[in-house]
Amino acid sequence: MKNIYSILLTILITPLMVIAQNETDALRYSRNYFGGTTRVSSMAGAFGALGGDFGSLSINPAGLGVFRTTEFTLSPSLSFDKTKGSYLGQETSDIQNQFFLNNLGIVTTHLTGKDNGFVSVSFGVGYNRLNNFHRNVILQARMPAVTPPVSTERPENGGSSSSSYLDNFVNYANGAGPFNPDNLDPFYEELAWYADLIYYDSSALSYQNDINYSGYGQFQRQTINERGGMGEYTFGVGTNFSNMVYFGATFGIDQLRFSQDIVTLEEDDLGSIDYFNSFRFGEYLNVFGTGYSAKFGMIIRPISLIRIGAAFHIPTFYKIREEFNTELRGTFDEVSETHEESPVNTFEYWLRTPYRAIGSVGFQIPKIATINLDYELVDYSTMNMNSGYIEDFIDVNQGIKDIYKLTSNLRAGAEVVIKPFYLRAGIAFYGSPYVDDIPGINTYNMLYAGGFGFRSEKFFFDFGAVNISNAYKYDLYDEDAFNATIDGRKLNFMTTLGFKF
């Protein structure tokens, strides 16, 4: 079995590479940053002991029992996703804007007319956004010139620091056994073979490429475009007993959409490489998933100033379909353009996400302020992938157990009342899901939020902003020895329009 450190390094420095279904995919589809309504988002998702807001259904369903009226909410959001890339000393940046629906929901409440015993029951149905995958990344630089001959392997294996994506094709082709193009991967090196970007040297008995043969120094650019998100259609019920104990449960239908286009360009713009001019390699992944989940919770109010909440989320069971294809175009000094496309590969599998346990405490000073703290446990080592054939995911599931761990998240939020206006702020710490950390790579996330609102007897309006950032290292391909650095920042602006009946 691989050393855990080496596995972790591979996962962390190649978080965007499309290499079939792996541990990174399981983590991507298992992380939630609770959003929903603007009020909950403005308090960084710290709402587990409060309730009375539709966004709390995705955190602690017992919050449904706190409602005393029928309520409708609509929460549109505008996201600005900024990324900065640094590669071989050259910095690039890109901003992608996206408009999406963060929440749509309605809660109906039936009051029994009693102040003791069974006081009320509430039913809720709607949608809450859980995660957003949109972003663009641009990495570009000129590869340092190296005089041949030199190995196509990484430096630690006898090669040079300079490299080409064509080296990746060559090394995998040479590892496929005796010369036979039919044995090459139809999504990668087989395309390079038929596009005349790699060739077989019968005297050396190995595959070669013109960039390595003539000497490095080519221009490189890789763009990564990601789109999609995760959301939950939730159906819930909550009860109120004596205005002191609240119970709730929800059933969720979770939707997952993710698409990723990675396009790598290499160009001999200086004219120093014989025969070769340029190539453009595209990797295209589309993911569709539907999951089923359930949540249970309770809130206790021992005294009027304090609320204590607890919630448990069973794992979400996703059925996922992936479609993957590649294409490769080459241009040359004296030959017309070549163009090769792979077949579209479709693969279906199941993903079980981790369970979540949330403990909360809230403090309420009526008409003055509210404070809430959430402590959440998530065991990422329990994630599991399954296609129906046990051998498909033996290594991946073992890798999940080796790489990931039980981690904790902490959210804190506050709301100050200056009637009819409300001021809100929150901060959240999402702990590292990894067993081992690597120096220079942030494996945790920080989230900062704030906003304000206006409330009347029948109508309310909220505005908020949420900022989450991270940074990590990234290899453009296996033989790339120059770790790029990607700094990402998501800034979401959102509003909620609410009506009470």
Side-chain angles (χ1 to χ4, degrees), residues 13-200:
I13 66 178
T14 58
L16 303 175
M17 295 297 288
V18 179
I19 47 174
Q21 301 77 25
N22 56 34
E23 300 90 345
T24 304
D25 296 319
L27 180 63
R28 180 193 297 122
Y29 307 140
S30 296
R31 300 188 96 171
N32 294 339
Y33 301 99
F34 297 112
T37 62
T38 302
R39 186 184 181 198
V40 171
S41 296
S42 297
M43 294 174 65
F47 225 82
L50 302 180
D53 187 284
F54 193 90
S56 67
L57 270 68
S58 293
I59 304 170
N60 186 345
L64 260 176
V66 181
F67 278 90
R68 301 302 299 266
T69 61
T70 294
E71 187 172 297
F72 171 81
T73 56
L74 173 67
S75 306
S77 180
L78 179 62
S79 173
F80 295 86
D81 302 301
K82 183 176 181 179
T83 59
K84 291 183 179 180
S86 178
Y87 184 53
L88 284 168
Q90 184 166 344
E91 294 188 353
T92 55
S93 64
D94 191 84
I95 298 179
Q96 186 178 57
N97 304 332
Q98 181 205 9
F99 180 82
F100 57 89
L101 183 66
N102 219 46
N103 155 262
L104 177 66
I106 187 168
V107 174
T108 62
T109 300
H110 172 69
L111 300 175
T112 64
K114 300 177 181 179
D115 291 328
N116 294 306
F118 182 34
V119 174
S120 64
V121 59
S122 298
F123 300 92
V125 59
Y127 171 83
N128 285 325
R129 185 88 165 187
L130 299 178
N131 207 342
N132 179 25
F133 297 133
H134 278 62
R135 67 172 167 181
N136 284 337
V137 179
I138 302 173
L139 300 168
Q140 64 181 32
R142 183 174 303 283
M143 189 59 59
V146 174
T147 302
V150 64
S151 169
T152 57
E153 298 286 346
R154 289 178 63 92
E156 59 267 28
N157 296 323
S160 73
S161 296
S162 292
S163 62
S164 164
Y165 206 134
L166 297 184
D167 295 342
N168 206 52
F169 296 142
V170 162
N171 290 338
Y172 276 102
N174 286 329
F179 173 66
N180 184 352
D182 292 336
N183 291 335
L184 302 181
D185 189 325
F187 295 91
Y188 291 93
E189 50 268 18
E190 182 180 291
L191 299 188
W193 168 260
Y194 286 108
D196 293 329
L197 288 164
I198 65 174
Y199 60 89
Y200 189 78

Side-chain angles (χ1 to χ4, degrees), residues 206-226:
S206 64
Y207 290 91
Q208 307 285 343
N209 72 77
D210 292 307
I211 296 179
N212 172 264
Y213 180 82
S214 297
Y216 301 103
Q218 78 280 13
F219 173 77
Q220 288 185 330
R221 176 189 296 129
Q222 187 173 99
T223 60
I224 305 158
N225 177 252
E226 295 181 337

Side-chain angles (χ1 to χ4, degrees), residues 50 56 61 70 83 115 157 238 254 272 297 305 319 350 384 391 454 461:
L50 302 180
S56 67
T70 294
T83 59
D115 291 328
N157 296 323
D254 295 61
S272 60
L305 298 180
K319 186 174 184 180
W350 288 88
N384 183 271
E391 63 273 13
F454 167 84
F461 169 82

